[in-house]
Amino acid sequence: MLQGTLIYGFVNSVILALIALGFNLTFGISGVANFAYGALYIFSAYTAWMLLTWLKINYLISIVIAVLLTSLLGGLIYKFILLRVRGMPISEVIASFGIGLSILEFFRFLGFVGSEYTLPVFIDGSVSIGETYIDIQRLLIVVIGIALVSILYLFTHYTKTGLAFRGMAQEERTALILGINSDKMATFSLAIGSGLAGVAAITILPLGQVAIEGGYSALLNALAVCIVGGLGSTGGILVASVLIGYAQTFTATYIGSHWMMIVSLIAILVILIIKPSGLFGKQKELEERI
Amino acid sequence: MLEVKNLLVFYENALAINDLSLRVEKGQMVGVIGSNSAGKTTLMNTLSGLIIDMKIKEERKGGERITIMGEVIFNGEEITHLEPYDRAKKGMALCRERHPIFPESDVLENLKIAGYLIKRSELKERIDFVFSLFPALVGLKHRRAGFLSGGEQQMLAIGMALMIQPILLLLDEPLLGLSPAIQIKLVDAIKNIQKEMGITTVISEQFARPILPMIDYGYIIENGMLTLTGSGKELMGNPEVRAAYFGV
Ligand SMILES: Nc1ncnc2c1ncn2[C@@H]1O[C@H](COP(=O)(O)OP(=O)(O)OP(=O)(O)O)[C@@H](O)[C@H]1O
Ligand SMILES: [Mg+2]
């Protein structure tokens, strides 16, 4: 029992990290808290479902198209809406949350409710680790999660665009005079963040159903992880994912699975009271020296 | 190489630059001298285009209204309303006041980020070149830039500006907050850069003493207006300048 809980807790941690990765990337680079994130997550899943079910397109191709479209949608939302309120955090939150609500509720209006909206797992079957049986999709989630974190690290540390991202995140004006177009970079960061939401959805949702509510809980989980870890800190995100991931899994195992979401909410509250900048938030640390 | 014609810059209704004109010839080192709030930073930001970005972003938010009138001409091309990143592509580099580098990245990464515009294959060579100009930075390669001393940060900031292989280097108060000994070292480095690499340089300062000996031509500004111009030697001999800007 305990072994199983430990393994499933780890998978749950990776799921949370996957969900938070895109939200954190966008915020870290452009400073935009993209509250349309959950909607983009679900948008990608429904799009993949439509391509697969209605147009009968090959699953892999459907996934790629869905992720690209989600990425594009994120970029467009930024370019045509969020760009105009950039630098005004309250307006950014209201605008992006409004867009997210519209997207999600539009799906409801179109009738995307019910249990037929499911995505197939990538590979069927399960394997046993010790005495615990685990399906291959969950293992793939772990593999994809670890791969994405590594790719993102390499991207932001070794490519020109990634380095420009890091520069812009720290000192936008200095980046500008070095030839970095900050509006273009911010659009990119929204597109990449949204694409990551898409990848997360398509990797995770085959475990259950695609439902509008999934958009709200994805946003909530992304927020919980980012608030606990400290927005903009990738290390913080990973630690927070593990903390919340295990807390959720233990709660589900020993108390009841409908308490899982409460764990995220409590985590947000506790951290906001104890250390509002998050466990690894570093707003204060450097300021004094500069 | 650079010409400013009848420049006016308003923040809301406050006039920060008032009908200012100046010329910088290729290969020259030109000084802009003025006391606090004379308009040095505003001028540098207008030359580098940063003010255009500030203006656009303020307009988007419905914030401060910034108005720019007059002309900035760079290599025969009117660039008054060009964005800063496009000016960088044309070979203009600004080293901002109080050396805002990327504090969380280490020194090496700062230089890599600054190499955004150059080819990947040239990156290493360029970084080595910056290290040869400022050997003190070599040992600090892996130190977070935010933890460097003021003088080290200033060296890094100038090194970063040089990464884009500029033909015009704008330095906004590079000596600010540095001890006299470090100032002398930095002035030497700046002289070297301008002489050996033939980079045209515009440098702004509050105090005339450290920079008058090295500039070809100087402009003294007060309240956004030119009050006195002349070659470095002429300005040095001028009693008014000595009284107001030598800070003895
Ligand atoms: N964003 C702004 N909004 C309103 N007024 C501004 C703004 N920036 C500068 N000013 C004003 O414009 C004038 C010129 O400022 P500027 O920063 O260019 O001076 P400076 O010569 O660089 O001064 P210092 O030596 O203190 O750096 C000042 O009166 C300043 O208060
Ligand atoms: Mg200034």
Side-chain angles (χ1 to χ4, degrees):
Chain A
M1 175 91 165
L2 182 65
Q3 190 205 29
T5 312
L6 288 176
I7 291 174
Y8 276 80
F10 183 67
V11 174
N12 193 35
S13 305
V14 177
I15 287 179
L16 289 176
L18 254 168
I19 290 177
L21 220 47
F23 187 89
N24 183 56
L25 177 109
T26 300
F27 182 85
I29 292 157
S30 62
V32 174
N34 177 16
F35 276 73
Y37 192 75
L40 289 159
Y41 176 88
I42 286 300
F43 172 85
S44 140
Y46 277 133
T47 307
W49 183 88
M50 287 186 271
L51 293 169
L52 186 67
T53 318
W54 291 348
L55 303 181
K56 309 260 181 281
I57 295 175
N58 166 289
Y59 189 31
L60 185 64
I61 297 174
S62 300
I63 289 176
V64 173
I65 298 177
V67 170
L68 289 179
L69 284 178
T70 311
S71 194
L72 182 70
L73 180 61
L76 290 176
I77 289 175
Y78 185 76
K79 199 160 170 54
F80 291 101
I81 302 169
L82 296 181
L83 184 62
R84 302 205 213 139
V85 292
R86 173 124 189 264
M88 290 182 285
I90 304 286
S91 310
E92 281 170 2
V93 168
I94 294 174
S96 63
F97 194 63
I99 296 163
L101 279 182
S102 328
I103 295 174
L104 286 173
E105 294 309 316
F106 189 61
F107 277 116
R108 197 192 302 282
F109 173 78
L110 291 178
F112 281 80
V113 275
S115 57
E116 75 263 39
Y117 301 97
T118 54
L119 291 173
V121 294
F122 299 165
I123 301 170
D124 224 350
S126 60
V127 292
S128 68
I129 302 175
E131 288 160 15
T132 309
Y133 279 90
I134 183 160
D135 43 318
I136 295 181
Q137 186 70 22
R138 283 193 164 80
L139 291 182
L140 284 177
I141 288 176
V142 172
V143 172
I144 290 172
I146 293 171
L148 273 186
V149 171
S150 320
I151 290 171
L152 277 183
Y153 180 84
L154 295 175
F155 170 70
T156 49
H157 286 79
Y158 296 101
T159 68
K160 260 192 191 180
T161 309
L163 284 166
F165 273 0
R166 284 169 61 74
M168 190 184 133
Q170 299 178 53
E171 257 303 329
E172 185 168 337
R173 286 188 183 159
T174 300
L176 277 166
I177 50 174
L178 293 169
I180 298 166
N181 179 341
S182 64
D183 282 341
K184 197 169 96 187
M185 289 298 152
T187 311
F188 263 5
S189 83
L190 252 285
I192 296 179
S194 309
L196 286 171
V199 173
I202 280 162
T203 321
I204 297 164
L205 289 176
L207 297 178
Q209 284 173 18
V210 185
I212 288 153
E213 287 64 37
Y216 294 103
S217 55
L219 178 61
L220 183 59
N221 278 325
L223 282 177
V225 170
C226 290
I227 290 173
V228 172
L231 266 169
S233 146
T234 309
I237 296 309
L238 299 180
V239 174
S241 301
V242 172
L243 288 178
I244 301 177
Y246 273 105
Q248 281 185 344
T249 306
F250 275 99
T251 308
T253 313
Y254 297 104
I255 303 175
S257 60
H258 55 282
W259 287 89
M260 266 177 91
M261 215 54 190
I262 301 292
V263 174
S264 306
L265 294 173
I266 292 175
I268 294 181
L269 283 179
V270 169
I271 209 76
L272 285 181
I273 292 167
I274 300 174
K275 192 169 185 293
S277 59
L279 294 178
F280 293 84
K282 46 192 162 189
Q283 280 96 318
K284 277 277 154 280
E285 185 186 324
L286 281 162
E287 272 170 17
E288 286 138 30
R289 287 285 309 223
I290 300 166
Chain B
M1 150 156 286
L2 179 75
E3 198 178 354
V4 174
K5 285 187 194 162
N6 308 102
L7 186 70
L8 282 143
V9 180
F10 292 89
Y11 294 108
E12 226 43 269
N13 297 318
L15 188 56
I17 299 282
N18 185 357
D19 195 25
L20 189 145
S21 301
L22 59 82
R23 274 182 86 87
V24 180
E25 304 296 344
K26 193 167 184 313
Q28 269 188 338
M29 161 107 54
V30 167
V32 173
I33 295 150
S35 55
N36 284 118
S37 71
K40 302 181 295 296
T41 300
T42 305
L43 176 63
M44 289 298 197
N45 288 350
T46 312
L47 295 180
S48 68
L50 214 46
I51 198 139
I52 300 299
D53 181 75
M54 289 159 71
K55 177 181 155 75
I56 292 173
K57 288 188 176 147
E58 287 296 324
E59 268 168 18
R60 266 186 211 148
K61 306 199 261 198
E64 192 174 45
R65 204 173 61 240
I66 300 175
T67 315
I68 302 142
M69 287 190 275
E71 274 180 78
V72 180
I73 297 163
F74 182 51
N75 273 337
E77 193 183 342
E78 222 252 59
I79 56 159
T80 321
H81 296 281
L82 201 65
E83 290 267 13
Y85 44 83
D86 287 327
R87 295 191 201 196
K89 286 178 198 147
K90 294 188 184 294
M92 210 188 247
L94 167 69
C95 196
R96 294 170 62 207
E97 186 179 36
R98 291 175 195 281
H99 37 77
I101 33 73
F102 303 120
E104 285 166 34
S105 295
D106 64 17
V107 168
L108 196 59
E109 191 169 85
N110 266 273
L111 294 172
K112 281 188 194 163
I113 299 173
Y116 181 71
L117 287 180
I118 62 174
K119 286 203 209 75
R120 231 198 143 80
S121 53
E122 291 169 10
L123 197 61
K124 195 181 168 304
E125 196 185 321
R126 201 73 200 156
I127 290 177
D128 288 341
F129 168 73
V130 170
F131 282 146
S132 71
L133 276 178
F134 300 112
L137 291 178
V138 180
L140 304 167
K141 240 186 224 183
H142 299 293
R143 180 89 52 91
R144 269 215 230 169
F147 294 145
L148 299 179
S149 74
E152 291 160 348
Q153 287 191 11
Q154 186 63 63
M155 286 189 255
L156 176 59
I158 295 177
M160 285 162 72
L162 292 175
M163 285 299 291
I164 73 171
Q165 291 186 301
I167 50 176
L168 175 67
L169 179 62
L170 308 168
L171 301 169
D172 192 3
E173 294 204 48
L175 306 181
L176 188 69
L178 305 183
S179 73
I182 307 272
Q183 285 193 3
I184 290 169
K185 272 195 192 163
L186 203 62
V187 163
D188 279 341
I190 294 169
K191 261 196 262 182
N192 265 337
I193 293 164
Q194 188 247 353
K195 287 267 145 53
E196 283 172 27
M197 300 164 58
I199 298 178
T200 313
T201 309
V202 179
I203 179 167
S204 84
E205 260 315 312
Q206 276 197 41
F207 297 112
R209 187 195 292 280
I211 70 158
L212 279 187
M214 69 169 165
I215 59 174
D216 296 304
Y217 206 80
Y219 294 85
I220 299 201
I221 60 175
E222 261 171 48
N223 298 321
M225 270 187 289
L226 284 183
T227 54
L228 210 60
T229 65
S231 70
K233 278 210 187 71
E234 283 164 10
L235 292 176
M236 229 172 345
N238 185 312
E240 275 175 57
V241 175
R242 297 184 78 91
Y245 297 100
F246 268 53
V248 190

